[in-house]
């Protein structure tokens, strides 16, 4: 029988993602991983016409998923570490500020063929079940990781796909009133993050089904 592969979040010392400083291994795998992609276009001078859309580039991808921590004993093997300790371990790897960089760690989310490189941009933890003495026995973490674009060259993209991976440079904004590529990227990232509540609700419904 094949060994069950567990999702791992590895802390990396820099954006080369090759030097690890710690890791968090899930006790319960997520039901799915969602990777959101987008493409940025602009309309020169704000006037739409045939063939007028200008490609400005592709902003970083956004990975989102939910993790369940269960200490009730209902799920075999999930309660070997206390729920509150699992939450603290996750926060230390992905969220806490570390002195070396004065920032949270770069992280790699690895599960099966997926190897996503980036940084945590959102962590919502719901504490949902307690014993009568107040001991936490169930929690759920909703996680969003923004892709860190790797250097050009042969290797793996942030989504774990073998390629000669280079982000398209896109067209430069030359007309008055055009949006800059950086501005378009920022707007699209905000739109990607706006989808998180829906993703969280869908994942929560599946976990409770």
């Amino acid at each position: 029988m094949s060994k069950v592969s567990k999702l791992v979040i590895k802390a990396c010392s820099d954006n080369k993602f090759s030097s690890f400083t710690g890791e968090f291994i899930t006790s319960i795998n997520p039901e799915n991983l969602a990777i959101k992609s987008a493409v940025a276009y602009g309309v020169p001078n704000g006037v739409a016409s045939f063939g007028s859309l200008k490609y400005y580039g592709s902003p970083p991808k956004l990975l989102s998923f939910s993790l369940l921590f269960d200490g009730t004993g209902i799920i075999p093997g999930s309660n070997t570490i206390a729920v509150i300790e699992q939450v603290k371990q996750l926060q230390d790897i992905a969220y806490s500020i570390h002195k070396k960089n004065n920032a949270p760690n770069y992280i790699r989310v690895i599960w099966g063929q997926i190897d996503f490189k980036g940084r945590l941009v959102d962590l919502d933890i719901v504490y949902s079940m307690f014993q009568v003495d107040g001991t936490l026995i169930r929690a759920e973490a909703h996680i969003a990781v923004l892709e860190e674009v790797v250097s050009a060259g042969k290797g793996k993209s942030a989504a774990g796909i073998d390629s000669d991976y280079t982000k398209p440079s896109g067209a430069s904004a030359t007309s008055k009133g055009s949006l800059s590529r950086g501005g378009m990227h920022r707007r699209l990232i905000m739109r990607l993050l706006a989808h998180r509540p829906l993703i969280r609700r869908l994942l929560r419904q599946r976990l409770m089904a």
Side-chain angles (χ1 to χ4, degrees), residues 56-206:
Y56 284 104
S58 300
K61 296 180 177 68
L62 183 73
L63 169 71
S64 58
F65 59 99
S66 290
L67 295 177
L68 178 66
F69 307 107
D70 186 89
T72 64
I74 295 175
I75 303 174
S78 65
N79 60 342
T80 55
I81 302 175
V83 170
I84 193 66
E85 289 303 318
Q86 293 184 63
V87 171
K88 288 179 180 178
Q89 290 174 14
L90 172 63
Q91 290 174 323
D92 185 59
I93 289 294
Y95 170 77
S96 298
I97 307 298
H98 291 272
K99 292 181 179 179
K100 182 178 179 180
N101 297 321
N102 196 31
N105 289 317
Y106 292 93
I107 57 175
R108 288 174 65 174
V109 180
I110 303 172
W111 189 25
Q113 294 177 308
I114 300 297
D115 185 350
F116 194 95
K117 305 175 182 71
R119 272 183 160 172
L120 180 80
V121 291
D122 193 69
L123 175 62
D124 291 342
I125 299 176
V126 179
Y127 303 101
S128 56
M129 188 177 293
F130 300 83
Q131 292 180 332
V132 292
D133 64 355
T135 300
L136 178 66
I137 56 174
R138 181 171 289 172
E140 188 176 3
H142 307 289
I143 299 165
V145 180
L146 190 64
E147 174 190 34
E148 176 78 13
V149 179
V150 299
S151 301
K154 191 169 182 61
K156 286 183 178 292
S157 73
I161 302 171
D162 287 314
S163 62
D164 291 323
Y165 188 63
T166 308
K167 281 290 182 183
S169 59
S172 299
T174 56
S175 302
K176 185 178 180 181
S178 298
L179 289 173
S180 69
R181 189 173 63 195
M184 293 292 292
H185 283 191
R186 285 191 293 273
R187 288 191 178 190
L188 279 167
I189 289 169
M190 294 304 295
R191 288 174 60 189
L192 290 175
L193 291 173
H195 287 275
R196 288 184 285 103
L198 175 60
I199 293 170
R200 289 201 298 267
R201 286 198 299 272
L202 291 173
L203 290 174
R204 191 177 298 114
Q205 289 170 2
R206 291 186 180 183

Side-chain angles (χ1 to χ4, degrees), residues 7-34:
L7 182 144
V8 180
I9 301 175
K10 290 183 176 288
C12 304
S13 58
D14 54 39
N15 61 359
K16 294 181 180 179
F17 296 96
S18 58
S19 178
F20 305 124
T21 59
E23 66 178 23
F24 173 80
I25 303 175
T26 59
S27 58
I28 303 172
N29 281 327
E31 287 204 352
N32 56 55
L33 304 177

